[in-house]
Amino acid sequence: MVKIKICGLKRAEDIEIINKYNIDYGGLVFAKSPRQISAKKAEKLSKLLNENICPVGVFVDEDIDFILDLFSENIIKIAQLHGKEDEEYIKKLKDKAHEKINKHIPIINSIEIKTDDTNNINEKILKLNNSLSDYLLLDSGKGSGKCFNWNLVNKNNIIQKPFFLAGGLNSNNIKLAIDEFNPYAIDISSGVEKNKLKDEEKIKEIVEIVKQ
């Protein structure tokens, strides 16, 4: 079954909801955003998560030592990169994780799809298949809440790594998105919000659709 990531967790109430519905991944945003939280707040929220829910830290061109501090303290278990982080940055992050704490840090590498240039997008995906990152993420932008043009991506086995699908997903399009892409996981934030807060009924609906 496709896994579910709910991103932009900010409140203890958000954690209660994703614990209740046994969501696979919870996203904690450290980049500048309306959903940004501090390391201290993230620590409190992460400790409230069920043990089987994986906390993911979302970063944009962050200092590597800051990420490793969060990782070493088990506040996050995966780093999701949304900036201009290149292979050198990813290698340095992974190497330092092994050196400092003797652990492998899984990385989700985001691909922002904004252009109508299909060849460039697919060439980028092909290149990132050889990346040191563990997962890819297809998105329309940093928390844009909008879908990208799904037709831009060549879906004929071009993506070799397990990937998360994000960007404007909600209960109205999630089934079609899964049918089109067959992703490893879906990644939703604003699509399960009401008045800019995580909404239990919307999360419940997404879970029911995915289970079907």
Side-chain angles (χ1 to χ4, degrees):
M1 187 175 79
V2 174
K3 296 186 181 299
I4 300 172
K5 175 173 173 277
I6 303 297
C7 201
L9 305 174
K10 293 179 65 176
R11 309 172 301 153
E13 293 90 336
D14 300 341
I15 305 298
E16 289 176 12
I17 297 170
I18 70 167
N19 282 346
K20 180 176 179 179
Y21 294 98
N22 203 31
I23 301 301
D24 301 286
Y25 298 90
L28 304 170
V29 178
F30 298 94
K32 288 185 179 179
S33 156
R35 302 177 183 89
Q36 182 181 19
I37 57 175
S38 66
K40 188 174 181 180
K41 182 67 175 289
E43 182 177 15
K44 291 179 180 178
L45 296 179
S46 186
K47 286 180 177 178
L48 295 175
L49 283 171
N50 288 346
E51 287 187 3
N52 60 313
I53 298 177
C54 180
V56 178
V58 180
F59 306 97
V60 174
D61 302 320
E62 185 57 77
D63 180 78
I64 284 176
D65 288 327
F66 177 69
I67 297 175
L68 289 179
D69 286 343
L70 296 168
F71 182 66
S72 64
E73 294 167 14
N74 289 316
I75 297 171
I76 64 166
K77 294 184 179 177
I78 296 180
Q80 180 174 316
L81 308 179
H82 270 272
K84 298 178 181 178
E85 303 91 349
D86 56 15
E87 282 300 295
E88 183 180 349
Y89 178 99
I90 293 172
K91 184 177 187 305
K92 186 175 180 181
L93 177 54
K94 284 183 173 285
D95 287 347
K96 289 192 79 169
H98 283 291
E99 290 168 9
K100 291 181 70 173
I101 51 180
N102 196 29
K103 287 177 68 177
H104 168 77
I105 181 167
I107 292 175
I108 301 171
N109 198 348
S110 172
I111 304 172
E112 291 190 13
I113 302 174
K114 293 182 176 180
T115 176
D116 289 333
D117 190 341
T118 309
N119 291 330
N120 282 351
I121 292 300
N122 290 297
E123 285 174 9
K124 188 172 184 179
I125 292 171
L126 283 170
K127 184 177 180 180
L128 288 177
N129 282 330
N130 297 317
S131 169
L132 292 172
S133 55
D134 302 87
Y135 306 90
L136 300 180
L137 182 142
L138 306 184
D139 196 4
S140 55
K142 305 174 186 69
S144 70
K146 298 178 181 179
C147 287
F148 61 85
N149 182 352
W150 294 350
N151 293 324
L152 292 178
V153 178
N154 178 350
K155 304 176 188 72
N156 295 322
N157 300 317
I158 189 174
I159 308 174
Q160 305 292 312
K161 290 180 180 290
F163 69 96
F164 290 69
L165 181 67
L169 299 179
N170 55 53
S171 59
N172 295 321
N173 61 16
I174 198 72
K175 185 180 185 302
L176 180 60
I178 291 171
D179 290 343
E180 286 238 0
F181 284 90
N182 189 28
Y184 166 77
I186 55 158
D187 189 341
I188 308 179
S189 186
S190 60
V192 288
E193 290 181 349
K194 185 176 182 180
N195 299 322
K196 298 185 178 180
L197 296 174
K198 296 295 182 282
D199 181 77
E200 179 174 352
E201 287 304 310
K202 290 189 175 188
I203 290 175
K204 178 184 177 183
E205 189 174 11
I206 289 293
V207 171
E208 289 173 346
I209 293 170
V210 172
K211 284 185 176 179
Q212 290 173 3

